[in-house]
Amino acid sequence: MNTKETLINKLQNKSAKIGILGMGYVGMPLAVVFAEAGFNVLGVDPDRRKVDTFNKGVSYIQDVPTEKVVRLHKDGKLNMTADFSALKEMDAVSICVPTPLRHTGDPDMSFINSATDQLAKYVHKGMVVVLESTTYPGTTREVMLTRLTEQSGLKVGEDIFICFSPERVDPGREDWTTFNTPKVIGGITKDCADVAIAWYGGAIKTVVPVSSAEAAEMAKLLENTFRMINIGLVNELAIMCERLGVDVWEVIDAAATKPFGFMKFTPGPGLGGHCIPIDPLYLSWKMKEMNYNARFIELASEINTNMPRYVVNRVLDAMNDRGKVLKGSKVLVLGVAYKPDIDDVRESPALDVIALLKKKGADVSYHDPYIPIIHHEKEDWKMETVKDVMKAVKESDAVVIVTNHKAYDYKAILDSASFIFDSRNALSKIAKDHPKVVKL
Ligand code: SAJ
């Protein structure tokens, strides 16, 4: 048997040793899926706190229960280390590292580059490597292939097999998991894809082969660019409806009754999270390198980025209409997580809304049951959540609902507040045309 056949054999009989490089909200669930399928899995992460927490038998990832980690660890199916040299024993490695933006707005490839360079020290004949991190089309070929074969002299598709398979993890979601969410896989060569499909196909419910690594990279970017652009569309619709004196929420609900050819998105105070505002900019950056201007992405990004300012201007106007001055007023921002019912504040538009309110001279506080403290990196200020939300509501001149957590008692908030700007239509069921409420 040749190298490919031998490796496929080891993957199919689960004797292959699996390495997961980067044990975050993508890598840990992936490691668990492979371990539950019967592989021996080693998580490799430079963050010793993660490794120590894991070795104490505690899961630090919301979607992975501690008892699962303990069981798999006890059964010897799942281990963790901070020592990259352990990769030399691996037959198959998935790279699941962050791909954020630099402060310049360009892709920050430092995590992929350093992970690949570490792995390049330990690659050997008969290894398959799959990149899962969302990135610009061409990364697998231009970065992974080059760095994993240049020094080692290994031949891709014969000695080493290199693929891209986009992560589709939505933290907190229980219906679609790493196991049952279809997994797209594209290789540098067809032989590469064959090996990765044999590997992932032995642990994940549905594998979707595509013809190249670039096709797989691009599929992921389409998924999230689709969302970002459609959110930008409804945000601009909100601005247009306000000028037309039409209720954008009623318009969207009406459009959503169309049983085909329409997908509902809702406007809001901006775009948060570590995927949707960021992934499309990896694509527009790459296209700029190729002298092409991705206008849809640029425009949607501009509209979404401007929404915090639009919300603050609407608050200012609404208070003015009530004979109130924003400057010096007590304003309570309700909910700062980037989306409801989670504890993640990354890229949250709430930080910009608060910064802009402060700039207008408002006396701003916030409440969020999931976020005890926020830090505005650019302006370098920190704030702690108010402890008693109802007391803060009663004392405020204005309440701005930015993130509509289910945990809030909206009826009590409506009764106690003097004025509410509702950027999420959170009060739709209890305050239709209520004099105290203005909505986006
Ligand atoms: N948002 C709106 N209007 C909408 C939907 C979202 O303003 O109609 C805002 C949210 O408030 C948030 C941001 O956009 O600030 C992103 O929200 P999201 O619902 O897209 O949630 P994310 O960022 O957690 O996106 C993830 C993505 N998952 C992966 O990349 C694997 C995305 O592809 C999923 O579609 C999304 O979860 C999901 O559906 O929950």
Side-chain angles (χ1 to χ4, degrees):
M1 285 197 290
N2 65 22
T3 306
K4 172 188 170 185
E5 289 157 348
T6 308
L7 182 51
I8 285 181
N9 209 19
K10 287 168 81 172
L11 290 163
Q12 285 173 339
N13 68 28
K14 306 281 193 314
S15 64
K17 290 193 180 63
I18 308 301
I20 306 293
L21 216 181
M23 288 286 277
Y25 79 89
V26 174
M28 177 66 88
L30 187 65
V32 166
V33 159
F34 285 135
E36 289 191 313
F39 287 105
N40 282 324
V41 182
L42 178 68
V44 181
D45 197 298
D47 183 345
R48 286 202 168 283
R49 284 167 309 165
K50 289 195 174 85
V51 178
D52 294 346
T53 305
F54 173 88
N55 287 325
K56 278 191 206 119
V58 174
S59 169
Y60 53 84
I61 294 292
Q62 160 193 3
D63 292 348
V64 178
T66 283
E67 59 276 359
K68 196 174 272 192
V69 164
V70 169
R71 173 169 49 80
L72 291 168
H73 189 29
K74 197 160 62 59
D75 296 350
K77 285 292 176 196
L78 180 57
N79 289 287
M80 261 188 90
T81 179
D83 176 6
F84 282 98
S85 68
L87 289 167
K88 64 178 174 298
E89 308 300 326
M90 299 299 117
D91 301 302
V93 177
S94 281
I95 299 181
C96 308
V97 295
T99 45
L101 289 179
R102 298 214 311 267
H103 64 280
T104 54
D106 294 339
D108 175 356
M109 295 297 288
S110 62
F111 295 93
I112 287 186
N113 293 340
S114 60
T116 307
D117 290 341
Q118 285 290 349
L119 179 58
K121 296 176 196 166
Y122 308 108
V123 284
H124 55 75
K125 192 169 181 171
M127 183 183 262
V128 55
V129 179
V130 176
L131 176 62
E132 294 240 344
S133 309
T134 305
T135 181
Y136 63 82
T139 301
T140 308
R141 195 176 300 277
E142 295 161 18
V143 177
M144 310 291 296
L145 171 61
T146 308
R147 295 183 187 213
L148 295 180
T149 56
E150 222 158 42
Q151 287 165 324
S152 63
L154 294 169
K155 281 194 178 32
V156 69
E158 287 174 36
D159 307 325
I160 185 170
F161 305 89
I162 302 172
C163 293
F164 185 80
S165 178
E167 60 89 2
R168 283 177 163 172
V169 175
D170 184 20
R173 186 184 277 277
E174 289 168 5
D175 51 353
W176 293 104
T177 64
T178 299
F179 168 70
N180 71 358
T181 301
K183 204 80 170 62
V184 170
I185 295 183
I188 295 294
T189 69
K190 182 165 176 334
D191 288 319
C192 295
D194 291 347
V195 175
I197 288 159
W199 172 19
Y200 275 50
I204 290 174
K205 191 175 176 195
T206 311
V207 168
V208 182
V210 291
S211 63
S212 66
E214 287 81 359
E217 290 161 336
M218 198 61 175
K220 171 67 182 183
L221 291 173
L222 170 58
E223 288 162 22
N224 285 357
T225 301
F226 164 79
R227 278 184 84 71
M228 184 264 237
I229 282 179
N230 279 286
I231 293 164
L233 171 64
V234 289
N235 280 336
E236 186 169 48
L237 209 79
I239 296 168
M240 293 191 268
C241 283
E242 198 270 333
R243 288 174 184 237
L244 291 164
V246 172
D247 181 336
V248 67
W249 304 93
E250 180 188 23
V251 166
I252 291 169
D253 284 344
T257 60
K258 182 180 178 191
F260 52 85
F262 182 78
M263 183 173 178
K264 179 177 180 179
F265 288 87
T266 51
L271 209 49
H274 45 287
C275 302
I276 306 307
I278 290 171
D279 297 351
L281 301 185
Y282 269 71
L283 177 55
S284 57
W285 174 83
K286 176 67 179 177
M287 296 320 294
K288 225 172 262 158
E289 296 266 299
M290 302 174 77
N291 293 322
Y292 181 83
N293 182 19
R295 288 165 294 167
F296 265 112
I297 295 173
E298 306 279 337
L299 175 59
S301 185
E302 188 189 308
I303 290 169
N304 291 326
T305 309
N306 188 54
M307 288 313 283
R309 187 174 301 281
Y310 176 73
V311 162
V312 170
N313 287 336
R314 288 286 309 280
V315 171
L316 188 140
D317 291 347
M319 288 183 76
N320 189 51
D321 293 346
R322 285 158 176 73
K324 290 190 173 183
V325 178
L326 181 56
K327 190 176 173 124
S329 291
K330 291 172 80 66
V331 178
L332 174 69
V333 169
L334 224 43
V336 295
Y338 81 77
K339 70 178 184 180
D341 315 322
I342 64 164
D343 63 357
D344 192 338
V345 72
R346 281 177 290 185
E347 305 292 323
S348 174
L351 297 178
D352 295 325
V353 168
I354 292 172
L356 289 165
L357 287 168
K358 284 157 77 87
K359 276 206 184 74
K360 298 263 182 207
D363 174 9
V364 196
S365 59
Y366 87 89
H367 179 271
D368 191 305
Y370 302 95
I371 314 275
I373 187 165
I374 55 176
H375 175 215
H376 195 291
E377 275 163 29
K378 267 188 225 139
E379 300 183 358
D380 195 20
W381 48 255
K382 285 196 172 99
M383 277 170 85
E384 285 188 16
T385 180
V386 296
K387 300 288 177 283
D388 181 339
V389 63
M390 291 317 298
K391 179 171 176 291
V393 166
K394 286 190 186 81
E395 290 168 358
S396 67
D397 300 303
V399 173
V400 181
I401 300 175
V402 172
T403 304
N404 46 327
H405 292 307
K406 289 196 188 70
Y408 285 126
D409 178 348
Y410 289 107
K411 179 82 180 63
I413 290 167
L414 179 64
D415 294 343
S416 311
S418 48
F419 164 63
I420 299 174
F421 185 82
D422 181 3
S423 78
R424 293 287 187 184
N425 203 28
L427 305 174
S428 61
K429 293 188 178 52
I430 57 168
K432 207 153 180 46
D433 305 329
H434 195 290
K436 271 189 197 175
V437 180
V438 170
K439 58 187 181 181
L440 189 66

